[in-house]
Amino acid sequence: MRAGLSLADLPLVDAHCHPVFVGPGEARGSLSRAEFERMLGEADRPAPVGVSYADSLLGAAVRRWCAPPLGLPAGTPLDTYLDRRAEVGPAEAARRMLGAAGLSYLLVDTGIGGTDGTGSDWWSVRGLASAADAVGREVVRLESVAEGLADSGVAAGDFADAYVDALATATQNAVAVKSILGYRHGFDVDPRRPSRAEVTVAARDWLLTRRRDAEAELDVGSSARLRDQVLLRFVLWSGVDRGLPVQLHTGFGDRDLRLTSVNPALLQPFVEAAEPVGTPLVLLHCYPYHREAGWLAAVYPHVYVDFGLTVGQVGARAGAVLAEFCELAPFGKLMFSTDAYRLPERYLVGAAQFRHSFGRLLREWWRDGDLTARDAERVAAMVSGDNARRLYAIDG
């Protein structure tokens, strides 16, 4: 990579991201420090006395990359940063963060978050794209389609056909689908397609439980979620059959998952079963199992790896972790994303930290003679956006 070339010159494709919370219109008050810290990371409980979630590499990255768009010097103390953030307002802060991220496309998982539009509590596809001056496209969550179908009153015997039809409708304008099998069960599942009879029996049990809880006026949050192994396998295979790339959450996240059950290596039987179909499988996040993910991408033609969540989370250590991602996976199978959710800071941190750390890594390889300048430039373009444009069939 030539000394004068920076990844700042390359528009990024954010290949997996989520809505951000901006409060009800412009009038919402500022987040408290405790709220901001919890929304920043993966914790959902208050920090113990004497501990701040922002005293971390992620928190340091926020103060480094996000303070300048608010008119503050990099490294500004968090309390000063939050005061300034409140002064400009949550929506304006979001516009500045997204504008500074330098994104050309945002592929938005709409399975979580609120409504769309710039005047709502949440910005999803339209609101995010407008703020980022980018093109927004939807990623449809497979389990959410099933849960919406269950709310329609579908009969168990009709569930399989109705789901296939509902998924076809939901993905008419989508570029990918996503599975959260890792969250809902883990990857230690039978990889085969469930039979129609198995789907009917499983749907009957799930729908009956939901109905009973609703009639008893119980909290239906748990029963409403799709957790049945048979149905999870069915919706995943339905996604494969749809033909769009299938994104799968692997590796770390919040405490709803069991970390040992989301090692992508556990997906190998399913990867092999799905290989004849040819649908691309995209392993999201991956850390701390990113080397296992890289191996799968190296030996299975239809497997790809996405950095999302990891780069921003590890902050100053991103260069080392990105180098480990690259150890086995072909460069043509690696993709950038932010996995940003709730806070717009996560968009800017993910983008800025990636540009800084991956650019420095490529320059190091170039200086050591591991890559030619032309190689480094080509790899930078591939990972920053070209791979995602090709895989998700988006223009630009």
Side-chain angles (χ1 to χ4, degrees):
M1 180 179 290
R2 296 180 179 88
L5 178 65
S6 166
L7 266 70
D9 302 320
L10 296 175
L12 300 179
V13 173
D14 192 341
H16 184 78
C17 54
H18 302 278
V20 298
F21 183 73
V22 294
E26 301 284 349
R28 187 185 188 278
S30 61
L31 293 168
S32 70
R33 175 168 175 153
E35 288 174 321
F36 181 86
E37 290 187 15
R38 286 201 298 275
M39 293 175 77
L40 182 64
E42 298 299 322
D44 63 355
R45 304 291 195 277
V49 174
V51 174
S52 166
Y53 290 135
D55 283 338
S56 63
L57 290 177
L58 174 57
V62 167
R63 294 188 295 110
R64 176 181 185 177
W65 301 114
C66 300
L70 297 182
L72 299 171
T76 293
L78 184 60
D79 287 335
T80 303
Y81 175 85
L82 292 176
D83 286 344
R84 176 59 176 160
R85 191 181 193 276
E87 181 182 339
V88 303
E92 176 60 22
R95 280 190 282 268
R96 295 189 189 188
M97 301 297 167
L98 285 157
L103 304 170
S104 59
Y105 277 84
L106 298 94
L107 311 188
V108 185
D109 170 10
T110 55
I112 53 175
T115 57
D116 205 351
T118 54
S120 66
D121 290 358
W122 292 82
W123 288 350
S124 188
V125 181
R126 288 185 294 118
L128 290 168
S130 175
D133 192 23
V135 177
R137 301 296 300 273
E138 184 179 9
V139 175
V140 172
R141 188 173 290 195
L142 297 169
E143 295 80 6
S144 297
V145 174
E147 289 158 3
L149 181 62
D151 291 336
S152 72
V154 64
D158 298 327
F159 184 85
D161 289 336
Y163 180 81
V164 172
D165 291 343
L167 183 62
T169 299
T171 56
Q172 284 180 347
N173 298 310
V175 295
V177 297
K178 180 190 177 182
S179 166
I180 52 171
L181 171 66
Y183 265 97
R184 297 295 176 83
H185 184 277
F187 297 145
D188 53 338
V189 296
D190 184 342
R192 67 182 178 86
R193 295 173 180 268
S195 68
R196 182 61 59 94
E198 289 174 312
V199 172
T200 298
V201 170
R204 182 179 297 120
D205 292 342
W206 180 46
L207 296 172
L208 181 59
T209 300
R210 287 169 55 98
R211 189 175 304 116
R212 285 175 175 171
D213 286 355
E215 290 174 351
E217 298 183 349
L218 299 176
D219 180 3
V220 298
S222 178
S223 63
R225 286 186 171 185
L226 182 62
R227 296 186 182 277
D228 181 87
Q229 180 184 155
V230 170
L231 296 181
L232 288 168
R233 287 163 46 211
F234 168 71
V235 302
L236 178 57
W237 274 106
S238 296
V240 169
D241 292 340
R242 186 70 185 142
L244 295 171
V246 178
Q247 299 181 340
L248 295 110
H249 180 109
T250 72
F252 76 120
D254 62 40
R255 60 188 286 170
D256 279 351
L257 58 74
R258 294 293 176 261
L259 188 59
T260 55
S261 73
V262 291
N263 184 332
L266 297 173
L267 282 170
Q268 186 177 4
F270 171 73
V271 167
E272 292 189 343
E275 184 175 9
V277 182
T279 297
L281 305 178
V282 184
L283 307 178
L284 301 173
H285 321 323
C286 306
Y287 187 84
Y289 306 116
H290 47 296
R291 283 171 159 146
E292 289 89 335
W295 173 76
L296 287 169
V299 298
Y300 290 100
H302 61 306
V303 175
Y304 295 76
V305 175
D306 186 304
F307 301 140
L309 183 58
T310 299
V311 171
Q313 192 77 32
V314 301
R317 286 287 294 168
V321 177
L322 284 167
E324 292 170 351
F325 267 102
C326 293
E327 288 172 350
L328 294 177
F331 295 130
K333 288 189 166 194
L334 294 170
M335 285 175 288
F336 161 81
S337 76
T338 64
D339 192 47
Y341 174 51
R342 297 185 297 192
L343 291 179
E345 280 84 352
R346 294 176 69 158
Y347 276 94
L348 180 52
V349 167
Q353 192 69 60
F354 169 74
R355 283 192 171 96
H356 173 77
S357 298
F358 198 56
R360 185 171 60 182
L361 178 64
L362 292 176
R363 286 190 293 273
E364 177 185 331
W365 288 344
W366 166 58
R367 285 193 296 265
D368 285 350
D370 299 310
L371 296 178
T372 67
R374 180 171 296 180
D375 286 338
E377 292 169 352
R378 187 168 56 89
V379 170
M382 290 164 64
V383 178
S384 295
D386 288 353
N387 293 340
R389 292 186 184 95
R390 181 184 71 251
L391 182 67
Y392 296 107
I394 54 179
D395 297 328

